[in-house]
CSV table of all heavy atoms in Angstrom, one decimal:
chain,number,residue,atom,x,y,z
O,1,TYR,N,114.7,124.3,105.6
O,1,TYR,CA,114.3,123.0,105.1
O,1,TYR,C,112.9,122.9,104.8
O,1,TYR,O,112.5,122.2,103.9
O,1,TYR,CB,114.7,121.9,106.1
O,1,TYR,CG,116.2,121.6,106.1
O,1,TYR,CD1,117.1,122.2,107.0
O,1,TYR,CD2,116.7,120.7,105.1
O,1,TYR,CE1,118.5,121.9,106.9
O,1,TYR,CE2,118.1,120.4,105.1
O,1,TYR,CZ,118.9,121.0,105.9
O,1,TYR,OH,120.3,120.8,105.9
O,2,THR,N,112.0,123.6,105.5
O,2,THR,CA,110.6,123.6,105.1
O,2,THR,C,110.4,124.3,103.8
O,2,THR,O,109.6,123.9,103.0
O,2,THR,CB,109.7,124.4,106.2
O,2,THR,OG1,110.2,125.7,106.3
O,2,THR,CG2,109.8,123.6,107.5
O,3,THR,N,111.2,125.4,103.5
O,3,THR,CA,111.2,126.1,102.2
O,3,THR,C,111.6,125.2,101.1
O,3,THR,O,111.0,125.1,100.0
O,3,THR,CB,112.1,127.3,102.3
O,3,THR,OG1,111.5,128.3,103.2
O,3,THR,CG2,112.1,128.0,100.9
O,4,LEU,N,112.7,124.4,101.4
O,4,LEU,CA,113.2,123.4,100.4
O,4,LEU,C,112.1,122.4,100.1
O,4,LEU,O,111.9,122.1,98.9
O,4,LEU,CB,114.4,122.7,101.0
O,4,LEU,CG,115.0,121.5,100.2
O,4,LEU,CD1,115.6,122.0,98.9
O,4,LEU,CD2,116.0,120.7,101.0
O,5,VAL,N,111.5,121.8,101.1
O,5,VAL,CA,110.5,120.8,100.9
O,5,VAL,C,109.3,121.4,100.1
O,5,VAL,O,108.8,120.7,99.1
O,5,VAL,CB,109.9,120.3,102.2
O,5,VAL,CG1,108.7,119.5,102.0
O,5,VAL,CG2,111.0,119.4,102.9
O,6,CYS,N,108.9,122.6,100.4
O,6,CYS,CA,107.7,123.2,99.7
O,6,CYS,C,108.0,123.6,98.3
O,6,CYS,O,107.1,123.4,97.4
O,6,CYS,CB,107.2,124.4,100.5
O,6,CYS,SG,106.5,123.9,102.1
O,7,TYR,N,109.2,124.1,98.0
O,7,TYR,CA,109.5,124.4,96.6
O,7,TYR,C,109.7,123.1,95.8
O,7,TYR,O,109.3,123.1,94.6
O,7,TYR,CB,110.8,125.2,96.5
O,7,TYR,CG,110.6,126.7,96.7
O,7,TYR,CD1,111.5,127.4,97.6
O,7,TYR,CD2,109.6,127.4,96.0
O,7,TYR,CE1,111.3,128.8,97.8
O,7,TYR,CE2,109.5,128.8,96.2
O,7,TYR,CZ,110.3,129.4,97.1
O,7,TYR,OH,110.1,130.8,97.3
O,8,ALA,N,110.2,122.1,96.4
O,8,ALA,CA,110.4,120.8,95.7
O,8,ALA,C,109.0,120.2,95.4
O,8,ALA,O,108.8,119.7,94.3
O,8,ALA,CB,111.2,119.8,96.5
O,9,LEU,N,108.1,120.3,96.4
O,9,LEU,CA,106.7,119.8,96.2
O,9,LEU,C,106.0,120.5,95.1
O,9,LEU,O,105.4,119.9,94.2
O,9,LEU,CB,106.0,119.9,97.5
O,9,LEU,CG,104.5,119.5,97.4
O,9,LEU,CD1,104.3,118.0,97.1
O,9,LEU,CD2,103.8,119.8,98.7
O,10,GLN,N,106.2,121.9,95.1
O,10,GLN,CA,105.5,122.7,94.1
O,10,GLN,C,106.0,122.3,92.7
O,10,GLN,O,105.3,122.2,91.7
O,10,GLN,CB,105.8,124.2,94.4
O,10,GLN,CG,105.0,125.1,93.6
O,10,GLN,CD,105.1,126.6,94.2
O,10,GLN,OE1,105.8,126.8,95.2
O,10,GLN,NE2,104.5,127.5,93.5
O,11,ALA,N,107.4,122.1,92.5
O,11,ALA,CA,107.9,121.8,91.3
O,11,ALA,C,107.5,120.4,90.8
O,11,ALA,O,107.2,120.2,89.6
O,11,ALA,CB,109.5,121.8,91.3
O,12,LEU,N,107.4,119.5,91.7
O,12,LEU,CA,107.0,118.1,91.4
O,12,LEU,C,105.5,118.1,91.0
O,12,LEU,O,105.2,117.3,90.0
O,12,LEU,CB,107.2,117.2,92.6
O,12,LEU,CG,108.6,116.8,92.9
O,12,LEU,CD1,108.7,116.0,94.2
O,12,LEU,CD2,109.3,116.0,91.7
O,13,VAL,N,104.7,118.8,91.6
O,13,VAL,CA,103.2,118.9,91.2
O,13,VAL,C,103.1,119.4,89.8
O,13,VAL,O,102.4,118.9,89.0
O,13,VAL,CB,102.4,119.8,92.2
O,13,VAL,CG1,101.0,120.0,91.6
O,13,VAL,CG2,102.3,119.1,93.6
O,14,ASP,N,103.9,120.5,89.5
O,14,ASP,CA,103.8,121.1,88.1
O,14,ASP,C,104.4,120.1,87.1
O,14,ASP,O,103.9,120.0,86.0
O,14,ASP,CB,104.7,122.4,88.1
O,14,ASP,CG,104.0,123.5,88.9
O,14,ASP,OD1,102.8,123.4,89.0
O,14,ASP,OD2,104.7,124.4,89.3
O,15,TYR,N,105.4,119.3,87.5
O,15,TYR,CA,106.0,118.3,86.6
O,15,TYR,C,104.9,117.2,86.3
O,15,TYR,O,104.7,116.9,85.1
O,15,TYR,CB,107.2,117.6,87.3
O,15,TYR,CG,107.5,116.3,86.6
O,15,TYR,CD1,108.2,116.3,85.4
O,15,TYR,CD2,107.2,115.1,87.2
O,15,TYR,CE1,108.6,115.0,84.8
O,15,TYR,CE2,107.5,113.9,86.6
O,15,TYR,CZ,108.2,113.9,85.4
O,15,TYR,OH,108.5,112.7,84.8
O,16,PHE,N,104.2,116.7,87.3
O,16,PHE,CA,103.2,115.7,87.1
O,16,PHE,C,102.0,116.2,86.3
O,16,PHE,O,101.4,115.5,85.5
O,16,PHE,CB,102.7,115.1,88.4
O,16,PHE,CG,103.7,114.2,89.1
O,16,PHE,CD1,104.3,114.5,90.2
O,16,PHE,CD2,104.0,113.0,88.4
O,16,PHE,CE1,105.2,113.6,90.8
O,16,PHE,CE2,104.9,112.1,89.0
O,16,PHE,CZ,105.5,112.4,90.2
O,17,VAL,N,101.7,117.5,86.4
O,17,VAL,CA,100.6,118.1,85.6
O,17,VAL,C,101.1,118.1,84.1
O,17,VAL,O,100.3,117.7,83.2
O,17,VAL,CB,100.3,119.5,86.1
O,17,VAL,CG1,99.3,120.2,85.1
O,17,VAL,CG2,99.6,119.5,87.5
O,18,ALA,N,102.3,118.5,83.9
O,18,ALA,CA,102.8,118.6,82.5
O,18,ALA,C,102.9,117.2,81.9
O,18,ALA,O,102.5,117.0,80.8
O,18,ALA,CB,104.2,119.2,82.5
O,19,GLU,N,103.3,116.2,82.8
O,19,GLU,CA,103.5,114.8,82.3
O,19,GLU,C,102.1,114.1,82.1
O,19,GLU,O,102.0,113.4,81.1
O,19,GLU,CB,104.3,114.1,83.3
O,19,GLU,CG,104.8,112.7,82.8
O,19,GLU,CD,106.0,112.8,81.9
O,19,GLU,OE1,106.7,113.9,81.8
O,19,GLU,OE2,106.3,111.9,81.2
O,20,TYR,N,101.2,114.3,83.0
O,20,TYR,CA,100.0,113.4,83.0
O,20,TYR,C,98.7,114.1,82.6
O,20,TYR,O,97.7,113.5,82.4
O,20,TYR,CB,99.8,112.7,84.3
O,20,TYR,CG,101.0,111.8,84.6
O,20,TYR,CD1,102.0,112.2,85.6
O,20,TYR,CD2,101.2,110.6,83.9
O,20,TYR,CE1,103.1,111.3,85.8
O,20,TYR,CE2,102.3,109.8,84.2
O,20,TYR,CZ,103.2,110.1,85.1
O,20,TYR,OH,104.3,109.3,85.4
O,21,VAL,N,98.7,115.5,82.6
O,21,VAL,CA,97.5,116.2,82.2
O,21,VAL,C,97.7,116.8,80.8
O,21,VAL,O,96.9,116.6,79.9
O,21,VAL,CB,97.2,117.4,83.2
O,21,VAL,CG1,96.0,118.2,82.7
O,21,VAL,CG2,96.9,116.8,84.6
O,22,ILE,N,98.9,117.4,80.6
O,22,ILE,CA,99.2,117.9,79.2
O,22,ILE,C,99.8,116.9,78.3
O,22,ILE,O,99.8,117.0,77.1
O,22,ILE,CB,100.1,119.2,79.4
O,22,ILE,CG1,99.4,120.2,80.3
O,22,ILE,CG2,100.4,119.8,78.0
O,22,ILE,CD1,100.2,121.4,80.6
O,23,HIS,N,100.5,115.9,79.0
O,23,HIS,CA,101.2,114.8,78.3
O,23,HIS,C,102.4,115.4,77.5
O,23,HIS,O,102.6,115.0,76.3
O,23,HIS,CB,100.2,114.0,77.4
O,23,HIS,CG,99.1,113.5,78.1
O,23,HIS,ND1,99.2,112.4,79.0
O,23,HIS,CD2,97.7,113.8,78.1
O,23,HIS,CE1,98.0,112.1,79.5
O,23,HIS,NE2,97.1,112.9,79.0
O,24,VAL,N,103.2,116.2,78.1
O,24,VAL,CA,104.4,116.7,77.5
O,24,VAL,C,105.5,116.5,78.4
O,24,VAL,O,105.4,116.9,79.6
O,24,VAL,CB,104.2,118.2,77.2
O,24,VAL,CG1,105.6,118.8,76.7
O,24,VAL,CG2,103.1,118.5,76.1
O,25,SER,N,106.6,115.9,77.9
O,25,SER,CA,107.8,115.7,78.8
O,25,SER,C,108.9,116.7,78.5
O,25,SER,O,109.6,116.6,77.4
O,25,SER,CB,108.3,114.3,78.6
O,25,SER,OG,107.4,113.3,79.0
O,26,ILE,N,109.1,117.7,79.3
O,26,ILE,CA,110.2,118.6,79.2
O,26,ILE,C,111.4,118.1,79.9
O,26,ILE,O,112.5,118.2,79.4
O,26,ILE,CB,109.8,120.0,79.8
O,26,ILE,CG1,108.5,120.5,79.1
O,26,ILE,CG2,110.9,121.0,79.6
O,26,ILE,CD1,108.7,120.7,77.6
O,27,ILE,N,111.2,117.5,81.0
O,27,ILE,CA,112.3,116.8,81.7
O,27,ILE,C,111.8,115.3,81.9
O,27,ILE,O,110.8,115.1,82.4
O,27,ILE,CB,112.6,117.4,83.1
O,27,ILE,CG1,113.0,118.9,82.9
O,27,ILE,CG2,113.6,116.6,83.9
O,27,ILE,CD1,113.3,119.6,84.2
O,28,LYS,N,112.6,114.4,81.4
O,28,LYS,CA,112.3,113.0,81.5
O,28,LYS,C,112.4,112.5,82.9
O,28,LYS,O,113.0,113.1,83.8
O,28,LYS,CB,113.3,112.2,80.6
O,28,LYS,CG,113.5,112.7,79.2
O,28,LYS,CD,112.2,112.7,78.4
O,28,LYS,CE,112.5,113.2,77.0
O,28,LYS,NZ,111.2,113.4,76.2
O,29,SER,N,111.6,111.4,83.2
O,29,SER,CA,111.6,111.0,84.6
O,29,SER,C,112.9,110.6,85.2
O,29,SER,O,113.2,110.9,86.3
O,29,SER,CB,110.6,109.7,84.7
O,29,SER,OG,111.1,108.7,83.8
């Protein structure tokens, strides 16, 4: 479960960077 949480967090951080730094939506909210 710690591995699950950490991979999910890592993916979410990358999503927010794509969405709010690069301003590109590959996966919609």
Side-chain angles (χ1 to χ4, degrees):
Y1 282 95
T2 60
T3 296
L4 171 70
V5 168
C6 292
Y7 276 133
L9 176 65
Q10 193 169 353
L12 286 173
V13 169
D14 290 337
Y15 163 78
F16 283 113
V17 172
E19 192 77 18
Y20 298 106
V21 177
I22 303 175
H23 303 292
V24 174
S25 295
I26 301 303
I27 298 178
K28 312 300 181 187
S29 57

